[in-house]
Amino acid sequence: MDFPTEFEAHGIRFRPYRDEDAAGLTAGLNDPDSRRFQQGSPTEVTEERSQAWIEAAPTRFGPGSDRVVYAVGDRSTDELLAGTIITINPSRMSAELGFWVCPAARGRGIATAIAHALAGLCFAQGLRRVEMVIRWENLASQRVALAAGFQPEGKLRDVVPGAGAERHDAILWSRLPADGGRPVPRPLLDLPGGVLSDGVVSVRPVGPGDQALFPERHCFRAPVHWLLGEQACVLVLNAATGDPLGEIQLRPGAYGAVLSSKPLSDSASAHLVRRAVLLMKTWAESIGMAQVTTVDSEGAPLVDGPPDDQANTAATPSAPSYCGARQANSPGASACPPR
């Protein structure tokens, strides 16, 4: 295989690292979001260490190596935007992609452009399969994989080395030449604006910020389960006070979807949680889900209709209103150059 030394694709430039990249490389690898998903036990990177890595790169990744690295530069200014690595498995005719993106370049679609460009490059070299192995918690990079036409294939246990004896689970994503690179359709869409509300109750996705209410593992994995279309977990809130009231889980299935709910505390908020269940059911049906069954935490069916206790609630609306909420869109690092 004869990978080019430099090329342009999808609006960005792939080139060798240069001496002037040392400062950007240092800042990128020391960024907390990048360090969090680096393999092994990442330590603080100095500019001198980055410079030494840049000087050694042509030898370490030259002809005959099973790894190809590129710095990603702005096509107009050549400013360092990101770094990439391709690890080739000749016996399987496949490659694994890794990348990191400079903090200042995030939110511009750079990571998606990298994934598209490198997949195309690998296929042009005759490889038959391109993979990304992304840690469960790296939601931003999972979104990049979907946007770049990669399909989720399975969950890998203890596959990514962490600090010391730690190991981390990951999702395996792949793309084949015949896939075409179009974004992979999602069976479970995001809530419009990130929140549903009827003025009395609101629901929003469960995430890492909810560790005071739910186990850490659940909080970090719930957004990925949603992205993969396996399950949507939302936190029910009192729309007026913001107080948490309960959790609802929506599970799509071959013969319909199931909505289950559980109040966080006593039954005083049960009618509000039930109200939120009906809100979620309306939304699920609006995105094309048929036969949505509602059950309580014990699996007992709930009867559709207004909540029994209407003492402190407004009339149930015919459709939910959608409230804005911040959506994270900056791609995190799924891999870094060898340290």
Side-chain angles (χ1 to χ4, degrees):
M1 286 175 233
D2 185 20
F3 282 83
T5 303
E6 186 169 343
F7 71 101
E8 291 187 5
H10 291 270
I12 49 180
R13 175 177 298 149
F14 295 81
R15 57 168 176 78
Y17 281 93
R18 299 170 183 161
D19 290 344
E20 55 267 32
D21 294 329
L25 178 61
T26 303
L29 296 184
N30 284 333
D31 174 72
D33 286 337
S34 294
R35 293 185 67 183
R36 180 181 173 199
F37 298 114
Q38 291 172 26
Q39 295 188 18
S41 303
T43 57
E44 191 77 13
V45 178
T46 64
E47 193 162 330
E48 291 75 16
R49 189 174 170 187
S50 294
Q51 187 67 54
W53 187 90
I54 290 172
E55 292 172 357
T59 301
R60 295 179 63 184
F61 309 110
S65 172
D66 62 354
R67 292 178 292 178
V68 181
V69 298
Y70 291 105
V72 178
D74 183 275
R75 191 165 59 175
S76 300
T77 66
D78 206 32
E79 174 191 5
L80 182 68
L81 302 176
T84 71
I85 182 168
I86 306 171
T87 303
I88 304 164
N89 187 325
S91 64
R92 290 171 47 199
M93 293 297 290
S94 67
E96 181 183 337
L97 305 184
F99 56 84
W100 60 270
V101 179
C102 292
R106 294 174 188 163
R108 295 161 49 183
I110 301 297
T112 302
I114 288 171
H116 271 302
L118 294 187
L121 176 64
C122 290
F123 296 145
Q125 293 293 315
L127 296 176
R128 305 304 302 163
R129 175 183 171 90
V130 179
E131 301 175 348
M132 287 197 280
V133 177
I134 304 175
R135 273 182 53 182
W136 261 98
E137 298 85 355
N138 194 344
L139 179 65
S141 287
Q142 317 272 7
R143 289 184 179 276
V144 167
L146 274 177
F150 286 71
Q151 299 189 29
E153 288 195 339
K155 298 153 190 175
L156 306 177
R157 297 182 299 161
D158 280 1
V159 67
V160 179
E166 286 184 351
R167 305 286 296 184
H168 300 284
D169 297 347
I171 307 293
L172 173 64
W173 298 80
S174 74
R175 182 171 149 185
L176 306 180
D179 290 339
R182 292 177 296 276
V184 175
R186 291 178 53 190
L188 265 178
L189 302 178
D190 292 329
L191 297 180
V195 174
L196 294 180
S197 179
D198 65 3
V200 177
V201 292
S202 299
V203 297
R204 62 153 177 82
V206 171
D210 298 317
Q211 294 180 56
L213 301 171
F214 307 111
E216 179 180 353
R217 180 185 176 97
H218 177 57
C219 293
F220 277 100
R221 297 199 173 194
V224 180
H225 282 301
W226 192 317
L227 191 71
L228 297 177
E230 298 171 342
Q231 176 176 274
C233 297
V234 296
L235 179 65
V236 182
L237 302 167
N238 184 308
T241 66
D243 292 337
L245 303 174
E247 182 185 27
I248 296 172
Q249 297 180 352
L250 171 65
R251 299 183 184 90
Y255 302 101
V258 177
L259 271 169
S260 61
S261 63
K262 182 178 182 181
L264 287 177
S265 55
D266 54 41
S267 60
S269 61
H271 69 286
L272 292 176
V273 174
R274 182 182 168 201
R275 185 187 188 98
V277 168
L278 300 181
L279 187 67
M280 279 292 290
K281 182 179 181 182
T282 300
W283 172 75
E285 292 171 341
S286 76
I287 64 171
M289 290 190 182
Q291 298 180 342
V292 181
T293 303
T294 58
V295 300
D296 61 20
S297 59
E298 303 301 324
L302 294 175
V303 179
D304 288 349
D308 295 332
D309 182 356
Q310 298 284 349
N312 296 306
T313 63
T316 303
S318 58
S321 61
Y322 301 128
C323 304
R326 183 180 64 83
Q327 294 265 352
N329 61 359
S330 57
S334 63
C336 299
R339 306 290 292 278

